[in-house]
């Protein structure tokens, strides 16, 4: 297991089982140039086999609609609230994104039974999304728990992209 604090990537690893969590910074030159709305998103591998995957980047400029979709909250393994983006962006600005989410790691710990990551972000205004991910040692078991703090009624979607090869 390893925390890459400068980039905001966290790897929970137990031999051939691992989970990669995104809680990264705002991006190069403080303009979100290559950033995606993937805060608290994760990927999962069990016994060396992809289970939960990231969709990738597609191409950068030939098809702006697809570029924007691939960097959207909807395209990642995370929660989307009220159909909004974690970080706002203009569809015409393919290499720029606002810094609304302000992701933060709260806990990254390991003991004899599990490895755990806990983080949060505030990309949906006054709504806070907390996520805890535990990878259990010696088992093919991952526990993901989400908590949303909001003063108003909301609608949310939790998306997971499964590998086409499982």
């Amino acid at each position: 297991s390893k925390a890459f604090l400068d980039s905001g990537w966290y790897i929970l690893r137990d031999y051939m089982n691992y989970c990669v969590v995104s809680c990264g910074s705002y991006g190069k030159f403080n303009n979100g140039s290559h950033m995606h709305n993937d805060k608290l998103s994760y990927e999962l591998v069990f016994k060396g086999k992809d289970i939960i995957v990231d969709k990738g980047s597609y191409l950068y400029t030939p098809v702006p609609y697809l570029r924007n979709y691939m960097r959207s909250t909807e395209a990642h393994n995370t929660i989307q609230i009220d159909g909004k983006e974690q970080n706002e962006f203009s569809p015409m600005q393919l290499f720029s994104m606002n810094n609304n989410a302000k992701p933060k790691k709260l806990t990254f710990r390991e003991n004899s039974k599990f490895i755990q990551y806990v983080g949060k972000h505030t990309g949906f205004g006054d709504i806070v999304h907390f996520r805890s991910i535990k990878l259990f040692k010696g088992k093919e078991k991952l526990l993901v728990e989400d908590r949303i703090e909001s003063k108003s009624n909301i609608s949310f979607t939790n998306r997971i992209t499964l590998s086409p090869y499982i």
Side-chain angles (χ1 to χ4, degrees), residues 78-121:
T78 192
I79 297 242
Q80 185 173 27
I81 296 177
D82 293 333
K84 296 179 182 173
E85 293 293 338
Q86 294 177 344
N87 297 288
E88 298 168 343
F89 61 85
S90 166
M92 302 309 292
Q93 299 285 325
L94 298 181
F95 296 96
S96 180
M97 187 176 283
N98 292 343
N99 185 16
N100 307 107
K102 297 176 179 56
K104 183 177 181 182
K105 180 241 350 149
L106 300 175
T107 303
F108 186 66
R109 66 185 177 136
E110 185 169 356
N111 62 36
S112 62
K113 294 182 181 183
F114 59 82
I115 306 115
Q116 181 183 29
Y117 167 86
V118 180
K120 73 173 187 171
H121 77 80

Side-chain angles (χ1 to χ4, degrees), residues 8-28:
W9 290 99
Y10 298 84
I11 301 172
L12 293 69
R13 186 174 193 114
D14 181 46
Y15 303 106
M16 296 289 289
N17 303 325
Y18 62 92
C19 177
V20 178
V21 183
S22 171
C23 191
S25 64
Y26 182 53
K28 191 173 184 178

Side-chain angles (χ1 to χ4, degrees), residues 6 19 70 92 100 103 109 120 125 134 139 149 152 163:
D6 290 341
C19 177
M70 296 304 276
M92 302 309 292
N100 307 107
R109 66 185 177 136
K120 73 173 187 171
K134 281 185 184 176
K139 302 177 181 181
E149 289 183 358
S152 58
S163 169

Side-chain angles (χ1 to χ4, degrees), residues 116-131:
Q116 181 183 29
Y117 167 86
V118 180
K120 73 173 187 171
H121 77 80
T122 56
F124 303 108
D126 61 351
I127 299 166
V128 183
H129 174 206
F130 294 88
R131 176 166 274 178

Side-chain angles (χ1 to χ4, degrees), residues 40-106:
L40 306 184
S41 184
Y42 63 99
E43 297 177 58
L44 176 65
V45 173
F46 279 151
K47 294 184 179 176
K49 189 173 185 178
D50 292 337
I51 305 295
I52 297 173
V53 298
D54 184 272
K55 291 180 181 176
S57 293
Y58 183 65
L59 297 172
Y60 283 128
T61 56
V63 185
Y65 168 79
L66 289 175
R67 160 79 174 137
N68 287 326
Y69 169 72
M70 296 304 276
R71 68 182 180 147
S72 72
T73 305
E74 180 181 352
H76 291 89
N77 301 316
T78 192
I79 297 242
Q80 185 173 27
I81 296 177
D82 293 333
K84 296 179 182 173
E85 293 293 338
Q86 294 177 344
N87 297 288
E88 298 168 343
F89 61 85
S90 166
M92 302 309 292
Q93 299 285 325
L94 298 181
F95 296 96
S96 180
M97 187 176 283
N98 292 343
N99 185 16
N100 307 107
K102 297 176 179 56
K104 183 177 181 182
K105 180 241 350 149
L106 300 175

